Amino acid sequence: MSLTLHFHPLSSFCWKALIALYENDTPFTPNMVNLGDEAERAALLKLWPIGKFPVLRDDARNQTVPESSIIIEYLDRYYPGPTRFIPAEADLAWQTRLSERFYDLYVHLSVQKMVDDRLRPEAQKDPRGVEEARARIQLCYGMIEHEMGIKTWAMGEAFSIADCAASPALFYADKVVPIGDARPKLAAYLDRLMARSAFARVLKEAEPYFKLFPQ
Ligand SMILES: N[C@@H](CCC(=O)N[C@@H](CS)C(=O)NCC(=O)O)C(=O)O
């Protein structure tokens, strides 16, 4: 098996890559990285000095691919399956990438900010940054509710890289800023994502680690 995914089952950005792999039943070797273990952290840093996962290693092509979005693009190009993550049509392609960027940069990173703050000692907390992140998530919720309309997935009827990004972003966003009843289309979209077999599998595998999530 030429592909190895260096990841952790609780890591939201790793979920994005796992969803793409599971969508197409792409064979890979999972390598769970415990960042608290010095040797495992050092091994990850050797692959990607930024030290963040997921990182995909492809021995067959002698390539190391970090960054969840790039991993999905790479899989789509070199290990394609029935689910194509980036549409071939040029306009739909950039619109899909834009949607994926929206979920990563404005929803997911805002969630990361809020969760990270929960883990900080009292003296290092950043209440202003947290409030900005909360407001940004609310803004995004409003945009998604407005845009979902009758769409099944982020870009319409085809599941794409945007949905891979939306799945962890919205799952954890709902934990820190509950979606509630006021945004039924958004809530229904998250339900559909969670019912999708690739994401349901990711959630099931993460279950034993949920106790590590700061409530
Ligand atoms: N832009 C990166 C973000 C990856 C990221 O933030 N990963 C987190 C886990 S969800 C991580 O590695 N955290 C460990 C650390 O920062 O030390 C991607 O899309 O892959």
Side-chain angles (χ1 to χ4, degrees):
M1 207 175 302
S2 86
L3 298 177
T4 301
L5 186 75
H6 303 270
F7 82 113
H8 190 280
L10 194 59
S11 149
S12 48
F13 278 102
C14 294
W15 288 5
K16 261 178 75 185
L18 284 170
I19 291 167
L21 287 160
Y22 291 163
E23 270 293 319
N24 285 329
D25 282 328
T26 309
F28 72 101
T29 303
N31 177 42
M32 186 170 138
V33 180
N34 173 6
L35 288 175
D37 179 290
E38 219 171 286
E40 292 188 26
R41 178 183 282 274
L44 182 73
L45 284 167
K46 217 167 155 190
L47 285 172
W48 178 227
I50 295 294
K52 288 184 187 287
F53 40 41
V55 175
L56 184 76
R57 173 69 197 164
D58 183 354
D59 286 331
R61 301 192 69 257
N62 193 23
Q63 297 290 347
T64 299
V65 189
E67 290 294 316
S68 55
S69 315
I70 310 305
I71 291 171
I72 297 173
E73 283 208 41
Y74 184 89
L75 292 171
D76 199 51
R77 172 71 64 99
Y78 295 107
Y79 296 87
T83 301
R84 296 311 304 260
F85 299 108
I86 299 170
E89 200 277 313
D91 277 322
L92 200 51
W94 71 254
Q95 287 156 4
T96 301
R97 282 200 181 83
L98 174 62
S99 176
E100 191 262 354
R101 292 291 73 209
F102 165 84
Y103 279 108
D104 261 24
L105 298 177
Y106 302 112
V107 182
H108 205 150
L109 289 188
S110 303
V111 173
Q112 224 178 30
K113 170 73 190 169
M114 292 183 73
V115 173
D116 175 66
D117 200 77
R118 290 180 181 185
L119 296 166
R120 289 185 184 188
E122 207 55 47
Q124 290 169 24
K125 288 200 184 290
D126 173 16
R128 181 174 162 187
V130 167
E131 276 325 297
E132 283 171 359
R134 190 191 310 280
R136 193 165 301 119
I137 291 170
Q138 289 286 10
L139 172 72
C140 293
Y141 281 178
M143 289 170 71
I144 301 164
E145 181 69 17
H146 181 71
E147 281 167 16
M148 260 337 267
I150 55 163
K151 287 188 292 189
T152 304
W153 305 114
M155 297 309 297
E157 291 316 296
F159 192 90
S160 72
I161 190 172
D163 302 292
C164 297
S167 300
L170 291 178
F171 179 87
Y172 279 118
D174 186 43
K175 301 278 175 258
V176 294
V177 182
I179 292 171
D181 299 329
R183 308 205 192 278
K185 290 180 189 142
L186 167 57
Y189 175 46
L190 177 56
D191 285 346
R192 282 194 294 281
L193 290 169
M194 290 171 65
R196 181 106 181 166
S197 64
F199 190 33
R201 179 173 169 189
V202 168
L203 290 173
K204 183 100 199 115
E205 289 172 356
E207 245 168 46
Y209 302 91
F210 278 139
K211 55 181 182 292
L212 300 173
F213 181 80
Q215 296 299 327

